[in-house]
């Protein structure tokens, strides 16, 4: 922690001396840890993800339910060590949670955020995967 500036020294005056020091070259990597439900969200093509977001916005859980079937069609997830059927049922469980808790608005909000995550993952897939890669 930096010491407080003295009476005649301002915080702005102390800043240039700190930035003049050479960089130490430390690289920091942040990796998000996802729970099993969140990691089961499939990487879908962008138009499918947008449709699922639209469905989740107006009928909570419907887009998540549809996305579960994309797993059966070969969409990959962040759970490579789990069987396809297990990932499918995790997505069905997430859809049921969204539907059942939509009455108290929690499921509706969760459903919208789930759809936004689908679009974000689809965008990452678009920029990471080679053109011929279907997964």
């Amino acid at each position: 922690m930096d010491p407080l500036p003295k009476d005649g020294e301002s915080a702005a005056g102390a800043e240039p001396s700190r930035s003049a020091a050479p960089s130490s070259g430390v690289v920091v990597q942040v990796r998000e840890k996802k729970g099993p439900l969140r990691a089961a969200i499939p990487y879908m093509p962008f138009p499918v993800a947008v449709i699922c977001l639209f469905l989740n916005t107006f009928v909570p859980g419907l887009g998540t339910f549809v996305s579960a079937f994309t797993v059966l069609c070969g969409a990959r997830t962040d759970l490579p060590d789990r069987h396809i059927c297990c990932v499918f049922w995790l997505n069905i469980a997430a859809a049921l949670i969204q539907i059942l808790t939509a009455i108290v608005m929690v499921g509706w909000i969760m459903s919208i955020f789930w759809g936004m995550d689908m679009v974000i993952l689809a965008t990452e897939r678009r920029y990471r995967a080679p053109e011929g890669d279907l997964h």
Side-chain angles (χ1 to χ4, degrees):
M1 198 157 135
D2 291 333
L4 295 173
K6 295 183 177 133
D7 293 335
E9 182 180 318
S10 70
E15 195 63 35
S17 64
R18 196 168 74 179
S19 65
S23 174
S24 62
V26 177
V27 176
V28 178
Q29 181 180 7
V30 178
R31 185 173 299 156
E32 181 182 6
K33 184 176 179 182
K34 299 177 181 178
L37 277 180
R38 174 96 162 57
I41 299 174
Y43 288 82
M44 299 176 281
F46 187 75
V48 176
V50 171
I51 290 169
C52 288
L53 170 60
F54 180 78
L55 292 173
N56 270 351
T57 302
F58 295 103
V59 182
L62 183 60
T64 307
F65 185 76
V66 169
S67 75
F69 289 96
T70 64
V71 173
L72 297 178
C73 294
R76 69 176 183 83
T77 65
D78 289 332
L79 293 172
D81 55 336
R82 300 245 179 141
H83 194 268
I84 292 173
C85 290
C86 180
V87 177
F88 170 76
W89 287 111
L90 281 171
N91 279 293
I92 295 295
L96 288 175
I97 290 169
Q98 292 168 8
I99 291 167
L100 294 175
T101 59
I103 299 167
V104 290
M105 297 296 288
V106 173
W108 193 19
I109 294 168
M110 177 186 175
S111 184
I112 292 169
F113 278 109
W114 218 258
M116 289 169 43
D117 283 342
M118 290 177 200
V119 172
I120 290 168
L121 290 175
T123 304
E124 289 177 5
R125 177 187 175 270
R126 179 190 287 180
Y127 292 113
R128 280 189 188 170
E131 199 59 36
D133 189 16
L134 297 176
H135 301 268

